[in-house]
Amino acid sequence: MKRQPVDFILSGAGQLVTLAGPSRPRTGAAMQAVGVIPDGALAAREGTIVAIGPSHEVETNCQLVPGGTRVDAAGRTVTPGLVDPHTHLPFYGYREDEFALRLAGAKYLEILKVGGGILSTVEKTRRASLKELIEFNRILLDRMLACGTTTIEGKSGYGLDLATERKQLQALEILNQSHPVEIVATFLGAHAVPRNEDPETYVNRVIGMLPEVRGLAEFCDVFCEEGVFSVEQARRVLIAAREHGFGLKIHADELSPLGGAELAAELGAVSAEHLLRASEDGLRQMAAAGVVACLLPGTPFTLGHDDYAPARRMIELGVTVALATDCNPGTCFTESMPMVMAIACRRMKLSPEEALTAATINAAHAIGRGDTIGSLEPGKQADLVIFDMPNYRHLPYHYGVNLVATVIKRGRVVYDRTA
Ligand code: IZC
Ligand code: ZN
């Protein structure tokens, strides 16, 4: 038989963890089935996986073309590129002063009320030029890539005016074209009410921005929270966004149980985020409507809370669970998905298998990319990570250090610590 020409071969993975399975989000017991090929190999052509299996089989069936890339995983563990489906990139500047205030007892929403928190990042982001914004966030993307993330979602929401919201989304577009990390963009005009503005008037302004950002963002999100945007205001923004063709996301039931989970189900949102205080009914409705629960355990960890989202109950109810960093300068400043997985296992009692499923295939579904990324299967993008660990269970187990050796995006080595 003629060998298939390929331009990328990775072989010798001690464990090649595929996450292969049905082309739908993984729920319940299916979250445990990560799929391990011992001594595994993978071949790709033009960035797309064409063969995957035991090393001897792939080597027999595939022929590397001259100039192609060969990677020896040398017994290490290979997984799909990690997907981070909820970040607040791009932002400008830091808020370490707020972190110290909170450690001394100040509350997140109280800081926002007096013009700090989100509003302080809004001021810095408004002042930054497009170029400054791009360069600041490029460094964050470099760190994400170094931690094994190959695709992220990023949001506006630090402009609260059309010009700055557009500047943020343009920064994402330029970074997506010029950085190996792939970016899915979300419009979060309804992130906070600008200083000295009436909330209802601002909601109307956000709705007016939708056609102006349509080409720059795929999703629309709202920070639905007591003292920020009500369920009724969130519903207005999201219904208008749906009419303009946006996919829907919602920051729901994080600090108070407003009914954001129910709203996400009612509107057919792609995902709902946080959900620490979501009602049992809301979770059932999310399961029935197929809304992905995007859990962000780095946030209660950063805020020093003892409560985490009820992930075990969600899995029992058949809700699709995904994990994300929530990377932002206020409530969770980390670029590391492995760190988030480590917290998820310890505080939400996910198994290592569930955490990996939540950070790959289910995370891909949380941003509408379940058909192209999140698992290693023929036809999908060749996005993978080689971890310096004997098996995938080390990923949440061995924490606080970076065990990424090499990252491959669309069949190209884009980060290599072993070189
Ligand atoms: O800058 O505080 N929760 N939005 C909603 C955030 C956190 C980001 C921030
Ligand atoms: Zn968020």
Side-chain angles (χ1 to χ4, degrees):
M1 206 179 82
K2 195 164 167 294
R3 290 160 88 198
Q4 175 163 207
V6 298
D7 56 24
F8 175 87
I9 294 186
L10 170 145
S11 62
Q15 285 195 333
L16 180 56
V17 191
T18 66
L19 280 296
S23 61
R24 57 173 185 267
R26 309 296 155 76
T27 55
M31 286 188 76
Q32 295 289 350
V34 294
V36 175
I37 303 174
D39 188 15
L42 176 152
R45 191 169 53 231
E46 290 171 6
T48 301
I49 300 170
V50 295
I52 183 158
S55 290
H56 63 88
E57 211 176 280
V58 172
E59 295 285 4
T60 310
N61 296 334
C62 299
Q63 167 95 55
L64 193 65
V65 300
T69 304
R70 172 174 285 284
V71 175
D72 178 8
R76 296 184 176 97
T77 297
V78 176
T79 73
L82 303 178
V83 177
D84 188 348
H86 181 138
T87 84
H88 286 265
L89 269 60
F91 54 85
Y92 198 80
Y94 307 108
R95 300 201 326 244
E96 68 277 24
D97 48 344
E98 186 188 316
F99 177 64
L101 283 174
R102 279 202 317 268
L103 292 177
K107 293 277 173 291
Y108 174 68
L109 289 177
E110 285 165 8
I111 295 169
L112 175 62
K113 227 180 268 172
V114 297
I118 295 171
L119 293 175
S120 82
T121 302
V122 167
E123 278 182 17
K124 293 173 201 148
T125 306
R126 283 178 179 171
R127 281 200 298 266
S129 68
L130 176 63
K131 187 161 177 288
E132 286 169 332
L133 193 57
I134 289 168
E135 292 323 311
F136 185 91
N137 286 277
R138 191 186 298 285
I139 294 164
L140 304 181
L141 288 175
D142 287 343
R143 281 196 209 101
M144 288 175 161
L145 188 68
C147 292
T149 297
T150 49
T151 302
I152 70 160
E153 181 259 13
K155 315 175 191 297
S156 66
Y158 292 123
L160 314 182
D161 60 39
L162 180 60
T164 314
E165 293 287 313
R166 280 184 60 93
K167 180 174 72 183
Q168 281 192 279
L169 295 171
Q170 275 160 359
L172 289 181
E173 187 173 56
I174 292 165
L175 286 164
N176 186 38
Q177 287 161 3
S178 59
H179 193 281
V181 171
E182 184 176 345
I183 305 174
V184 173
T186 297
F187 170 60
L188 179 60
H191 190 197
V193 179
R195 231 181 287 233
N196 304 323
E197 183 140 353
D198 162 63
E200 284 297 318
T201 312
Y202 183 62
V203 166
N204 290 338
R205 272 215 292 136
V206 169
I207 291 171
M209 290 182 208
L210 288 167
E212 312 292 331
V213 297
R214 179 60 198 107
L216 288 167
E218 186 172 331
F219 291 98
C220 177
D221 189 354
V222 176
F223 186 18
C224 179
E225 184 56 62
E226 202 163 270
V228 191
F229 295 99
S230 68
V231 167
E232 206 31 65
Q233 290 165 338
R235 182 185 280 109
R236 281 217 290 134
V237 172
L238 293 175
I239 287 177
R242 196 172 56 183
E243 283 165 7
H244 283 286
F246 290 87
L248 308 184
K249 292 178 166 284
I250 179 169
H251 283 65
D253 303 323
E254 179 192 357
L255 304 167
S256 40
L258 293 190
E262 287 86 340
L263 181 63
E266 172 195 323
L267 299 180
V270 172
S271 68
E273 331 288 302
H274 289 294
L275 299 166
L276 274 69
R277 315 242 174 268
S279 72
E280 174 90 1
D281 246 19
L283 295 180
R284 285 181 195 279
Q285 290 170 33
M286 279 179 55
V291 181
V292 179
C294 191
L295 306 185
L296 316 168
T299 303
F301 178 75
T302 302
L303 295 174
H305 295 172
D306 285 326
D307 292 344
Y308 286 74
R312 287 256 56 89
R313 185 68 186 138
M314 292 175 182
I315 293 171
E316 262 171 43
L317 291 171
V319 178
T320 301
V321 169
L323 287 171
T325 59
D326 198 15
C327 183
N328 76 77
T331 58
C332 190
F333 193 21
T334 182
E335 294 93 339
S336 170
M337 283 294 286
M339 184 66 202
V340 167
M341 294 163 75
I343 300 169
C345 291
R346 285 163 183 75
R347 301 305 309 262
M348 302 194 303
K349 307 291 179 221
L350 292 195
S351 69
E353 292 76 15
E354 288 167 340
L356 184 58
T357 301
T360 53
I361 185 66
N362 282 2
H365 281 285
I367 50 174
R369 293 292 189 281
D371 291 339
T372 49
I373 57 172
S375 64
L376 303 178
E377 305 179 69
K380 283 199 161 183
Q381 272 177 214
D383 294 0
L384 32 141
V385 187
I386 306 177
F387 286 101
D388 223 338
M389 47 181 76
N391 62 68
Y392 70 83
R393 284 190 158 167
H394 277 242
L395 195 40
Y397 159 64
H398 188 168
Y399 76 100
V401 287
N402 191 3
L403 295 166
V404 172
T406 307
V407 183
I408 290 128
K409 181 72 182 174
R410 295 191 182 97
R412 280 183 43 234
V413 174
V414 287
Y415 171 84
D416 193 6
R417 198 169 44 76
T418 66

